[in-house]
Coordinates of all heavy atoms in Angstrom, one line a residue:
A1056 N 72.8 16.1 -53.5 CA 72.1 17.4 -53.7 C 70.7 17.2 -53.2 O 70.1 18.1 -52.6 CB 72.2 17.8 -55.1
A1057 N 70.1 16.1 -53.6 CA 68.7 15.8 -53.2 C 68.5 15.8 -51.7 O 67.6 16.3 -51.1 CB 68.2 14.5 -53.8
F1058 N 69.5 15.2 -51.0 CA 69.5 15.2 -49.5 C 69.6 16.6 -48.9 O 68.8 16.9 -48.0 CB 70.6 14.3 -49.0 CG 70.7 14.2 -47.5 CD1 69.9 13.2 -46.9 CD2 71.5 15.0 -46.7 CE1 69.9 13.1 -45.5 CE2 71.5 14.9 -45.3 CZ 70.7 13.9 -44.7
E1059 N 70.5 17.4 -49.5 CA 70.7 18.7 -48.9 C 69.4 19.6 -49.2 O 69.0 20.4 -48.3 CB 71.9 19.4 -49.6 CG 73.2 18.8 -49.0 CD 74.5 19.3 -49.7 OE1 74.3 19.9 -50.8 OE2 75.6 19.0 -49.2
E1060 N 68.8 19.3 -50.3 CA 67.5 20.1 -50.6 C 66.4 19.7 -49.6 O 65.7 20.5 -49.1 CB 67.1 19.7 -52.0 CG 65.9 20.6 -52.5 CD 65.4 20.1 -53.9 OE1 66.2 19.6 -54.7 OE2 64.2 20.2 -54.1
M1061 N 66.4 18.4 -49.2 CA 65.4 17.8 -48.3 C 65.6 18.5 -46.9 O 64.6 18.8 -46.3 CB 65.5 16.3 -48.2 CG 64.6 15.7 -47.2 SD 64.6 13.9 -47.3 CE 66.3 13.5 -46.7
I1062 N 66.8 18.6 -46.5 CA 67.0 19.1 -45.1 C 67.1 20.6 -45.0 O 67.1 21.2 -43.9 CB 68.3 18.5 -44.4 CG1 69.6 18.9 -45.2 CG2 68.2 17.0 -44.3 CD1 70.9 18.6 -44.5
E1063 N 67.1 21.3 -46.1 CA 67.3 22.8 -46.1 C 66.2 23.5 -45.2 O 66.6 24.3 -44.4 CB 67.2 23.3 -47.6 CG 67.4 24.8 -47.7 CD 68.8 25.2 -47.2 OE1 69.8 24.5 -47.4 OE2 68.8 26.3 -46.5
P1064 N 64.9 23.1 -45.3 CA 63.9 23.9 -44.4 C 64.2 23.7 -43.0 O 63.6 24.4 -42.1 CB 62.6 23.2 -44.9 CG 62.8 22.5 -46.1 CD 64.3 22.1 -46.1
F1065 N 65.0 22.6 -42.6 CA 65.1 22.3 -41.2 C 66.4 22.7 -40.6 O 66.7 22.5 -39.4 CB 64.9 20.8 -41.0 CG 63.7 20.3 -41.7 CD1 63.8 19.3 -42.7 CD2 62.4 20.7 -41.4 CE1 62.7 18.8 -43.3 CE2 61.3 20.3 -42.0 CZ 61.5 19.3 -43.0
R1066 N 67.3 23.4 -41.4 CA 68.6 23.9 -40.9 C 68.5 25.2 -40.1 O 67.6 26.0 -40.3 CB 69.5 24.0 -42.1 CG 69.9 22.7 -42.7 CD 70.9 22.8 -43.8 NE 72.2 23.4 -43.4 CZ 73.2 23.6 -44.1 NH1 73.1 23.2 -45.4 NH2 74.3 24.1 -43.7
L1067 N 69.4 25.3 -39.2 CA 69.4 26.5 -38.3 C 70.2 27.6 -39.0 O 69.9 28.8 -38.8 CB 70.1 26.1 -37.0 CG 70.1 27.1 -35.9 CD1 68.7 27.5 -35.5 CD2 70.8 26.6 -34.6
H1068 N 71.3 27.3 -39.8 CA 72.2 28.3 -40.4 C 72.7 29.3 -39.4 O 72.6 30.5 -39.5 CB 71.4 29.0 -41.5 CG 71.2 28.1 -42.7 ND1 72.2 27.6 -43.5 CD2 70.0 27.8 -43.3 CE1 71.6 26.9 -44.5 NE2 70.3 26.9 -44.4
E1069 N 73.3 28.7 -38.3 CA 73.7 29.6 -37.2 C 74.8 30.5 -37.6 O 75.0 31.6 -37.0 CB 74.0 28.8 -35.9 CG 75.3 28.0 -35.9 CD 75.2 26.6 -36.4 OE1 74.2 26.4 -37.2 OE2 75.9 25.8 -36.0
D1070 N 75.6 30.1 -38.6 CA 76.7 30.9 -39.0 C 76.3 32.2 -39.6 O 77.0 33.2 -39.6 CB 77.6 30.2 -40.0 CG 78.3 29.0 -39.3 OD1 78.2 28.9 -38.1 OD2 78.8 28.1 -40.0
D1071 N 75.0 32.2 -40.2 CA 74.5 33.4 -40.9 C 73.8 34.3 -39.9 O 73.3 35.4 -40.3 CB 73.6 33.1 -42.0 CG 74.3 32.1 -43.0 OD1 75.6 32.1 -43.0 OD2 73.6 31.4 -43.8
K1072 N 73.6 33.9 -38.7 CA 72.8 34.7 -37.7 C 73.6 35.1 -36.5 O 74.7 34.6 -36.3 CB 71.6 33.8 -37.2 CG 70.6 33.4 -38.3 CD 69.4 32.6 -37.6 CE 68.4 32.3 -38.6 NZ 68.8 31.2 -39.6
E1073 N 73.1 36.1 -35.8 CA 73.8 36.4 -34.5 C 73.7 35.3 -33.5 O 72.7 34.6 -33.5 CB 73.1 37.7 -33.9 CG 73.4 39.0 -34.8 CD 72.7 40.2 -34.2 OE1 72.5 40.2 -32.9 OE2 72.4 41.1 -34.9
Q1074 N 74.7 35.2 -32.7 CA 74.8 34.1 -31.7 C 73.5 34.0 -30.8 O 73.0 32.9 -30.6 CB 76.0 34.4 -30.8 CG 76.3 33.2 -29.8 CD 76.8 32.0 -30.5 OE1 77.5 32.1 -31.5 NE2 76.4 30.8 -29.9

Side-chain angles (χ1 to χ4, degrees):
F1058 180 83
E1059 284 172 350
E1060 189 187 327
M1061 175 172 69
I1062 62 168
E1063 185 59 40
F1065 312 118
R1066 291 182 61 178
L1067 185 62
H1068 291 296
E1069 74 267 30
D1070 295 347
D1071 306 341
K1072 295 185 176 71
E1073 290 178 24
Q1074 183 71 32

